[in-house]
Amino acid sequence: MQPAAVPDDLTPLHPDYLKVVRIGWTLLAVPVLIGAAVLEIAGVLPRGAVLVPVLLVAAFAVVLVPPRRYRARGYRLDPDRLRVVRGTLFRSDTVVPFGRVQHIDVAQGPVERFYGLGTLVLHTAGNHNASVRLPGLPHAEALEIREAIRAHVLRETP
Amino acid sequence: MSGPGGAAQVTGPAAPGWRRTHPLGLLARALSYARGAALPLVAAIVGARNWPGGAGAVAMVAVMAFAVNAVVVWLGWRHHRYLVGADEIRVEHGLVRRTARTVPYDRIHDVAIEEPALARLLGLAEIRFETGAGGKDEVTLRYVSREEGEALRETVRTRRAEASHSAGSPTRPGARADAVEPPPRLLFAMDPRRLLIFGLFEFSLVFFAVLFGLAQQFDAVLPFDIWAVDQWQQRAGGPVEVLRGIGLTAQIAAAVLGVVLLGLAGLAAGLIRTVLRDWGFRLEHTPRGLRRRRGLLTRTDVVVPLHRVQAVAIRTGFVRRRVGPDGGWHRLDLVSLAQDSKSSSHTVVPFGTLAEIAPVAAIAGFPLPEPGTRWHRPSARYCLDRALLTALPAGLLAGALAVAGTGWNALAMLGLAALLALRQAMAWRLDRHALSPLHIHVRRGWLAPRHDIALRVRLQTVEIVQGPLARRRGYADVVFGIAGGTLRIRGIPVIEAQRLRAAVLDSIAGTDFAHLSAPPAAAAP
């Protein structure tokens, strides 16, 4: 009796999103690596005491974690609701009914722009899940979804 | 910058209909500024007493600061004006950066009137146009005369009524609104006796924490070192020596006396705070919602529109639940997007029995569950896991102590572990949730249970959350987003979580939130 939380009816994110995440982590890791290298060259601590652990952690964050997290992500677009699933260790499965959407953003960072991706952000009036983010959509598709949700909201509101 | 005369022509209430806030409000603000500045001023004077001519310099700076503040406040007042228009309230303010705000009448749910102590002495009130924007974003007028405040409230209500019956009738609008409106019905009030009992339960030592904090802040300023015990003994001189002479018994007696005094002071602090806040508490059912008036020095008058209420919470305390009549004393809060003086929900029954709370909750649209309601418990696995997890650290410590050979300590630690596990077992017996056609009920807690009721159609999002253990063991939490709050059902079987979510989503998808916020509260399945 262990119903798998791994959802089967979900749409995966665009494969390029994996690259976006990796580049993001790399950009974060570079300054730390430089700092560790400086410490290493300064030779204050025993050889490898700083650089080796930092390298291991960076490799873990850039190489191993993103694919797992990517595989755990997915979404499902229904005529009146959006479902967003994420998380490897702590899984979260959120549904936002379009009738509760207050406003919609499509965000695009520089790396996302390079790959033509975008992040859809739905804002609700709730304190919990006040904004639900769905990254890794092709930018055009994110815009399309935004229009569809807007049309739904307009149709329902006289 | 142009002279005051020129400014008055541009921004003063020269145009017909424009008004300024009450000039006495300037005095109220200046006084409250002086009150805020008093403590730092005293500290500065004491701190500067060793300079040559220090106190004089400090006094001069203080006078200058006060004068500058007075001018700033006065300028702000001159350049602040409001207009009660045909369709909206307009407020303009700002000297350099001018801000003009327009609030249409049909967006104003109500006009909240607050009378802080100082303003009340001067016959003034602060009014806030409640639009549901929440807290700081609401348009406020500080201060106008009390009569003006009442008149504004009446105007807004009449204009609103006109706007909603825009067909229009030849009779005078004010007269018609009065004729339509049934008289308000008293739902709950607290007499001084109830207030006294309530105050005793609000035991608080916060006051002492503040005193200690102040003492630490100012110990550099004080003429003696309050932390040096031997100095104290010197100062106390005789009595302490006498106590020492008497020996252990007297010292214990003194300690007991100290604790008793501290307890009495805590009771007094709670009592005073409660009386200040809830004196003359009255809750009425009016056509616009629940109207609440309370306060001894600062009186507030707030209306919570019923269609804005998203959920209610019934809370109690460990002691007050056991000593009160019929099931103990409880408190009823209404959760909405509106802010109520720093807290996010409005307390409408601060201290009442369940029999008193039930009708209020029912009027708010959140009836207490029927006796035949089908409750569901959390998964047994969840409770077992929780019990083991909470008892584990204490258990491990007990083992370590046993190995170290301190048997009694180990036994005590084992007892603690057992107690923690027992708490989880009780939680399993008592935590529960139920789904009724319109509402979700969630009860949680053993010694001081809390009961939340949310309207299904007004929920915003539904999330199923699972940690690593929960995934392995097949349970999950369901978290609902509420406008103004959060509702969490913990540790229910995954299948049930999915069923719950599907049921709630069907309720939500049937109704758009915009309809729900419109005054005639829609009641959909």
Side-chain angles (χ1 to χ4, degrees):
Chain A
M1 185 196 136
Q2 190 192 335
V6 180
D8 36 9
D9 51 350
L10 293 179
T11 316
L13 303 184
H14 194 279
D16 283 346
Y17 175 62
L18 181 57
K19 298 177 193 161
V20 172
V21 173
R22 278 195 162 140
I23 291 173
W25 277 108
T26 311
L27 291 178
L28 269 180
V30 164
V32 182
L33 281 175
I34 291 174
V38 168
L39 272 179
E40 191 70 29
I41 292 164
V44 189
L45 294 165
R47 179 162 301 208
V50 182
L51 195 58
V52 170
V54 166
L55 266 176
L56 283 178
V57 170
F60 184 68
V62 173
V63 180
L64 283 181
V65 175
R68 295 189 53 189
R69 288 171 65 95
Y70 172 78
R71 277 196 300 276
R73 273 190 178 273
Y75 70 96
R76 184 186 154 98
L77 192 67
D78 281 323
D80 61 350
R81 63 190 73 166
L82 176 70
R83 180 172 165 210
V84 179
V85 178
R86 63 178 199 279
T88 46
L89 214 52
F90 290 87
R91 284 190 73 75
S92 133
D93 182 341
T94 309
V95 178
V96 187
F98 293 163
R100 297 294 178 271
V101 173
Q102 299 282 322
H103 56 274
I104 316 161
D105 291 337
V106 174
Q108 196 181 33
V111 185
E112 280 178 311
R113 182 170 307 161
F114 180 78
Y115 285 103
L117 297 181
T119 300
L120 184 73
V121 190
L122 303 186
H123 297 270
T124 73
N127 286 19
H128 180 79
N129 275 330
S131 50
V132 176
R133 301 173 63 85
L134 175 58
L137 295 171
H139 192 248
E141 201 181 321
L143 292 178
E144 263 170 41
I145 296 179
R146 180 179 75 178
E147 288 316 305
I149 297 177
R150 243 178 50 178
H152 184 275
V153 171
L154 283 178
R155 200 166 54 241
E156 298 289 315
T157 317
Chain B
M1 201 189 295
S2 64
Q9 274 175 5
V10 180
T11 61
W18 285 97
R19 284 181 239 173
R20 285 206 181 110
T21 55
H22 201 284
L24 271 180
L26 288 172
L27 183 62
R29 283 209 228 170
L31 285 177
S32 83
Y33 175 76
R35 199 179 51 184
L39 210 58
L41 184 63
V42 168
I45 287 178
V46 175
R49 83 206 124 133
N50 292 335
W51 291 1
V58 167
M60 228 163 80
V61 169
V63 167
M64 272 169 64
F66 197 79
V68 166
N69 175 264
V71 170
V72 167
V73 168
W74 181 76
L75 278 177
W77 174 75
R78 295 244 346 162
H79 293 263
H80 182 289
R81 59 178 191 170
Y82 66 96
L83 173 78
V84 182
D87 304 312
E88 75 268 305
I89 296 269
R90 288 166 65 186
V91 179
E92 293 183 11
H93 63 93
L95 179 61
V96 182
R97 242 179 76 122
R98 210 138 167 82
T99 315
R101 287 185 79 173
T102 304
V103 193
Y105 289 124
D106 57 352
R107 292 283 161 187
I108 303 178
H109 305 306
D110 206 73
V111 181
I113 301 183
E114 188 170 327
E115 301 169 47
L118 262 173
R120 205 164 162 214
L121 285 177
L122 299 169
L124 302 176
E126 174 182 342
I127 62 174
R128 194 170 66 239
F129 299 102
E130 305 266 10
T131 60
K136 284 185 216 108
D137 297 333
E138 302 282 22
V139 175
T140 57
L141 293 177
R142 199 170 47 172
Y143 296 94
V144 298
S145 70
R146 197 175 298 142
E147 298 77 44
E148 169 87 359
E150 294 286 346
L152 270 171
R153 170 183 262 180
E154 220 29 66
T155 309
V156 168
R157 284 176 181 170
T158 318
R159 297 273 160 86
R160 259 204 71 167
E162 279 173 346
S164 53
H165 312 276
S166 52
S169 70
T171 47
R172 274 185 52 78
R176 192 187 58 190
D178 284 352
V180 167
E181 211 162 88
R185 191 156 64 83
L186 181 68
L187 290 179
F188 181 76
M190 288 205 295
D191 55 5
R193 193 170 158 270
R194 173 73 65 89
L195 198 60
L196 186 78
I197 303 172
F198 180 27
L200 293 180
F201 280 103
E202 293 285 280
F203 177 88
S204 158
L205 287 177
V206 172
F207 174 66
F208 285 95
V210 171
L211 260 190
F212 272 121
L214 278 181
Q216 242 166 346
Q217 282 283 316
F218 288 103
D219 62 354
V221 186
L222 293 174
F224 52 89
D225 184 358
I226 58 169
W227 306 113
V229 179
D230 43 337
Q231 269 191 37
W232 272 107
Q233 287 178 352
Q234 261 177 30
R235 257 164 214 285
V240 173
E241 285 308 314
V242 171
L243 265 184
R244 272 190 172 168
I246 297 175
L248 189 65
T249 328
Q251 280 179 11
I252 289 176
V256 168
L257 188 70
V259 168
V260 168
L261 280 180
L262 201 67
L264 284 179
L267 278 183
L271 202 59
I272 290 169
R273 218 174 49 165
T274 308
V275 168
L276 285 181
R277 189 187 55 216
D278 284 333
W279 179 263
F281 191 101
R282 274 178 81 80
L283 182 75
E284 286 169 346
H285 184 206
T286 71
R288 280 170 306 275
L290 296 180
R291 179 180 187 193
R292 186 197 69 191
R293 278 172 286 181
R294 66 174 189 186
L296 184 63
L297 297 179
T298 299
R299 256 195 103 59
T300 60
D301 182 348
V302 184
V303 175
V304 188
L306 292 181
H307 61 273
R308 287 263 148 186
V309 182
Q310 311 288 323
V312 303
I314 299 164
R315 288 169 227 223
T316 184
F318 174 60
V319 181
R320 65 187 71 184
R321 171 157 168 257
R322 278 160 184 79
V323 299
D326 351 307
W329 300 112
H330 294 261
R331 177 175 112 201
L332 176 68
D333 289 344
L334 304 184
V335 178
S336 72
L337 273 180
Q339 290 270 324
D340 181 26
S341 57
K342 287 167 207 142
S343 98
S344 61
S345 45
H346 285 83
T347 301
V348 289
V349 178
F351 194 69
T353 60
L354 281 177
E356 287 167 331
I357 283 177
V360 178
I363 283 175
F366 297 83
L368 299 190
E370 312 268 320
T373 306
R374 272 194 56 201
W375 292 95
H376 301 271
R377 279 187 193 168
S379 143
R381 291 173 165 213
Y382 165 73
C383 290
L384 181 65
D385 293 354
R386 297 294 309 169
L388 289 178
L389 274 180
T390 47
L392 194 66
L396 285 178
L397 203 58
L401 285 171
V403 171
T406 52
W408 285 112
N409 287 343
L411 215 59
M413 214 24 104
L414 207 63
L416 180 66
L419 204 69
L420 288 172
L422 174 74
R423 194 177 144 246
Q424 287 303 324
M426 291 310 283
W428 182 64
R429 283 175 46 86
L430 295 171
D431 285 8
R432 55 188 64 181
H433 68 274
L435 206 59
S436 73
L438 292 176
H439 301 95
I440 289 191
H441 297 269
V442 181
R443 278 182 60 112
R444 188 171 156 73
W446 170 30
L447 297 174
R450 173 196 164 119
H451 185 160
D452 288 281
I453 312 175
L455 202 57
R456 286 165 65 166
V457 286
R458 287 187 198 162
L459 297 170
Q460 303 287 320
T461 54
V462 192
E463 181 176 6
I464 295 180
V465 187
Q466 284 184 300
L469 198 60
R471 274 222 319 286
R472 197 141 301 169
R473 303 270 287 159
Y475 53 83
D477 287 5
V478 183
V479 193
F480 300 100
I482 302 177
T486 302
L487 188 66
R488 191 174 191 124
I489 302 176
R490 288 162 202 272
I492 57 176
V494 169
I495 297 196
E496 207 181 312
Q498 280 163 352
R499 204 160 39 210
L500 194 66
R501 176 166 81 173
V504 168
L505 280 172
D506 282 346
S507 311
I508 301 177
T511 327
D512 191 277
F513 191 57
H515 298 300
L516 298 171
S517 309

